[in-house]
Amino acid sequence: MAPLPIITLPYSSVLLPGAILRIPLEDRKDIQALLAKLTYEAIERSTTPQAPNTTPVPAATPRPASSKEPARPHPIGTVGKVIGFEHGRVVLAVGSPAGLQGGAAILVEGINRFRIRNVLQKTPFVEAEVELLPDSIPDQADVELSSLFSAFQSLASTLLHLLRIPRNSPSSTGAPTHLPAPLARRLQDFIASKPIAAAGRLADFFMAALEPSLPERLQLLQELNVKIRLRRAVAILEKRIEEVKVALGGKLNLRTAPAPPPPPTTQIILRPRSGPPHRPFGGGGMPHDEDADNELNQLVQKLAAAGLPAAAQPVVERELSRLRRMTSVQPEYTVQRTYLETIAEVPWSKMTDDKLNGHSMTRAREVLDRDHYGLEKVKKRVLEYLAVLRLRAMLAQEDAVKEKEKVQEEGTPAPPIQASSTTDSANSTTATSDTPVELTPERERFPSQPKPSANANVITRAPILLFVGPPGTGKTSLAKSIATALGRKFHRISLGGVHSEAEIRGHRRTYIAAMPGVIVNGLRKVGVANPVILLDEIDKVGHRSHNGDPSAALLEVLDPEQNHLFTDHYLSPLTIDLSRIIFIATANSLSEIPPPLLDRMETIHLSAYTNLEKIKIAERYLVPKQVWMNGLKEGQVVLGAEAIRAIVEGYTREPGVRNLEREIATVVRGKAVELVMSRDASGNKPGTREYKPEVEIGDLERILGMARFREEEVREGDSGIGMARRPGIVNGLVAFSTGRGVMSGSGAIIFIEAAVMPGGTQGGLRLTGNLGSVIKESVEVALTWVRAHAYDLGLTHSRDDDLMKNKSIHVHCPAGSDPKDGPSAGVAFIVALVSLFSDRPVPATLAMTGEVSLRGRVTAVGAIKEKLIGALSAGIKTVIVPARNRYDVQELPDEVKRGLDIVCAEHIWDVLKVVWPDWRSIGAHDTLSAIAPISSRL
């Protein structure tokens, strides 16, 4: 027995042999007095103060904060050694008060157990006589002890393995919830290396790190029998493992993972490593990382199956060699492994075969007609592309057959013609024998790039199509239909809001969080090298800034002469072949696309849908879709053609069909409410209460409200208000726009009214109706032409008479709230003025469009399709259009051609002859003499 100073621990703190405990000095006058006494004695002896042997004892009850005396010590404690001293630290953190935190403390390491025999003093610190209690030497021949020790080692290893898995929920016991993989592996090696003679000390060490409950730690402290202590430790380990498994979800399989299956005979067999990898950098003393080696072997197998091109193999070998020299705890290890994993995920040679059999054209036409109504120009271009693909495939097959016959005639065995799918050929290579082939690790580790089949990749420079049209006209869905018709995978890349060149080309690996560009990520997602990629909203790409010019980066992507060697900064120095990809871009306007980028694409314009097309689309696609989406069956909601026409003309005015689909969905939901209420009112018996599935035109105002748009209608011999049509009123044609020159797809007639007033300013002209500057100039040109040809028209008695003498003209276009502008109403203004001065009315069922020059030549205008469809809907019978718009007339739907008498006019005299065929002054006029002989022939 020897006297030793006693340090009582705070409540819930226990120091086990082999563990290290931090004891704070705040409000501990006994420890401060003890340290002062030891320091004074050391100074008195004039020696360097050594770390004193102190004996902290766990207290069974907490020491009150107001008490100046230590609490009664527990009879069993641990002899400790002071190994360090901590000063208070300054903490500056968000959410924490700044200042001195943590306080001073001593670090004590547990050495051995003891029992208190006699307390010698209580102040200023406790001192007592103690009896040391060393662990008994275990009997290695004890079978039960060996079994308990083996179970303890196994359970400890299992728990460490589980603690390597991160989880969000913290532990309720305060024990560690996650350990880094290197630390867990070192602890596993440490436990496995201990002999049975250290069973007691190992149990104390691991239980101290595990931090069980206070009663369990007290039981372990006062248990002197090593066998019983091990039994208690095993029980604690089993309990803790169950808690961790529950926290992780209870779906863990703790059995050893089976070894990966051997590679098939068609794959290259890699030379196995003869031993653990050599890690000269940062690996001093680190244990062998088996998991990292398994991950590395799996990565090598993925790279071997990726079908890398020959130029990429030395680069990948060099990066693999660099990765092998790293440890998994190095920051560069994750960057290097991610780079190689990205290379393995890129489809270098895996492709899908185009469906180019004897029924490919018919199937493609069926797919396009099934998904889209109209769009004949686009469908024609797609069928042309498919026809070229099939012819090229047939030529490639014929060349392969001729090559085979030629080789056979020379007596040399010919290589077989690969007719199988390239998908299978990309994942396997042919072995020369059943014996495993050993390759050198430099350039022959990976199989060479497989040869494509005769049916794959026959066109390496696919056309780059650009669909330009207003929103909602089916550009994106048309690209999907092209992919379906070809049998290729489809991927969409939204370019709207892309402001950085790195989003296209990728980031350099020197940057934090570097990643490949959208093109490479798209290939990784689809998993093939020849998909159909849609570059959506290419006109919304950002312009040049400090982040580069993304539109300039697209030049290489969309250039058939360059994209077969596309360089992504992340994969550099490797290059990717993009020539096998079919790129399809969409845009709303060509004005926002840079000219060099626009020059690389084939532009196909998608005009706005007309009202007739919208009605057909609603009948075939939109109504059945909304009926199904709203939980109804076929026949429970019936929208006839007249109801759909009323929705199109009265509630929507847009280029596409998105708002039309919303209005139809509103109508269908309204009928769904009626159906449910009918069934509920009749006790859920259909048919008891009358329910009409048909949607009448009168129901639309109740469901959708008042019509937002009203179309003008005419009747022959009537102005629509019960009065005969007066001279000076003409039907013009107008096409509505959504802004920025984008047609909405709908047209209508517009009344042009002219009136003459006596007096006023000589030649006075007044214009009203919210007219733009262009249309005002058209009125002035029209008035000038009428005044210049007044004698030819019989409006004056001599050429010197002024038609406008003591007169003023007022021209008005109704619907003044709608702005009107554009060069397309000159013909209508001339006819209105001639009608006004000659007192001859214009037929109510006649409408016209076209611009006029001062010489009277009728020039071409736009939106002929929309205007004539609007005229047909308004009840017009005859339409006069410029002769230069004959091509647009040929593109009209057959319904419009059959319903309208379309007259093409070259000169204004031709127009007047159509309006008033019985007017002799006009009939006797020769149109050819009115055309100036100096007209340009360019």
Side-chain angles (χ1 to χ4, degrees), residues 173-188:
T173 62
T177 59
H178 173 61
L179 292 178
L183 177 59
R185 284 192 292 268
R186 294 193 65 177
L187 288 175
Q188 287 175 332

Side-chain angles (χ1 to χ4, degrees), residues 296-602:
L296 191 58
N297 292 334
Q298 294 177 2
L299 178 59
V300 171
Q301 293 177 3
K302 290 180 181 179
L303 290 170
L308 297 173
Q313 294 181 11
V315 177
V316 174
E317 282 293 343
R318 182 178 66 249
E319 300 298 331
L320 268 176
S321 176
R322 184 179 302 170
L323 181 64
R324 291 184 184 277
R325 294 195 299 268
M326 298 180 183
T327 61
S328 59
V329 297
Q330 290 182 262
E332 296 83 0
Y333 180 87
T334 303
V335 176
Q336 192 75 3
R337 189 184 67 181
T338 304
Y339 172 64
L340 292 173
E341 288 176 347
T342 303
I343 294 177
E345 293 173 359
V346 173
W348 299 95
S349 56
K350 183 179 178 181
M351 295 185 293
T352 55
D353 285 344
D354 294 329
K355 297 179 180 179
L356 301 176
N357 51 30
H359 305 285
S360 58
M361 301 293 293
T362 304
R363 184 182 61 254
R365 183 71 191 189
E366 292 176 354
V367 170
L368 294 175
D369 290 340
R370 180 195 64 194
D371 297 340
H372 297 85
Y373 177 81
L375 303 178
E376 295 300 327
K377 289 185 179 180
V378 182
K379 295 178 181 178
K380 178 183 176 182
R381 181 63 185 90
V382 174
L383 293 177
E384 291 173 355
Y385 172 70
L386 293 179
V388 174
L389 273 180
R390 186 180 177 192
L391 292 176
R392 293 288 298 270
M394 295 171 63
L395 290 176
Q397 188 71 24
E398 292 176 1
D399 293 342
V401 173
K402 291 180 180 178
E403 184 68 21
K404 179 181 179 181
E405 293 176 352
K406 180 180 179 181
V407 174
Q408 289 178 349
E409 290 176 359
E410 295 176 356
T412 306
I417 300 177
Q418 298 182 5
S420 60
S421 172
T422 57
T423 302
D424 299 333
S425 64
N427 294 331
S428 63
T429 55
T430 304
T432 56
S433 64
D434 296 335
T435 306
V437 181
E438 292 190 359
L439 303 177
T440 57
E442 285 77 15
R443 291 180 175 265
E444 299 181 357
R445 182 181 299 276
F446 306 106
S448 60
Q449 185 174 356
K451 298 180 180 179
S453 65
N455 193 30
N457 199 24
V458 294
I459 286 186
T460 57
R461 295 180 181 180
I464 299 172
L465 305 179
L466 172 61
F467 295 153
V468 181
T473 53
K475 300 183 292 295
T476 302
S477 59
L478 187 61
K480 294 181 181 179
S481 299
I482 293 175
T484 304
L486 286 172
R488 296 193 181 188
K489 292 187 177 182
F490 176 80
H491 180 67
R492 173 181 173 271
I493 297 175
S494 179
L495 296 179
V498 173
H499 297 285
S500 174
E501 179 184 354
E503 296 186 48
I504 306 296
R505 287 184 173 273
H507 302 78
R508 301 186 186 276
R509 297 198 306 275
T510 53
Y511 297 107
I512 298 175
M515 63 179 65
V518 292
I519 304 297
V520 175
N521 283 332
L523 292 177
R524 293 168 61 191
K525 184 176 181 179
V526 297
V528 293
N530 62 337
V532 176
I533 292 183
L534 175 66
L535 302 176
D536 206 5
E537 306 292 349
I538 198 171
D539 56 332
K540 308 299 189 303
V541 176
H543 300 288
R544 183 185 300 273
S545 65
H546 64 281
N547 292 323
D549 190 356
S551 61
L554 287 173
L555 294 178
E556 182 182 0
V557 176
L558 300 180
D559 191 349
E561 301 295 334
Q562 303 180 36
N563 61 7
H564 66 286
L565 294 175
F566 174 72
T567 301
D568 189 282
H569 289 161
Y570 184 82
L571 297 179
S572 180
L574 304 183
T575 59
I576 302 177
D577 186 4
L578 303 182
S579 62
R580 295 168 290 189
I581 302 174
I582 297 180
F583 287 102
I584 300 176
T586 65
N588 298 130
S589 175
L590 296 178
S591 60
E592 300 295 333
I593 303 177
L597 184 60
L598 183 62
D599 182 63
R600 284 163 168 77
M601 297 179 286
E602 178 181 346

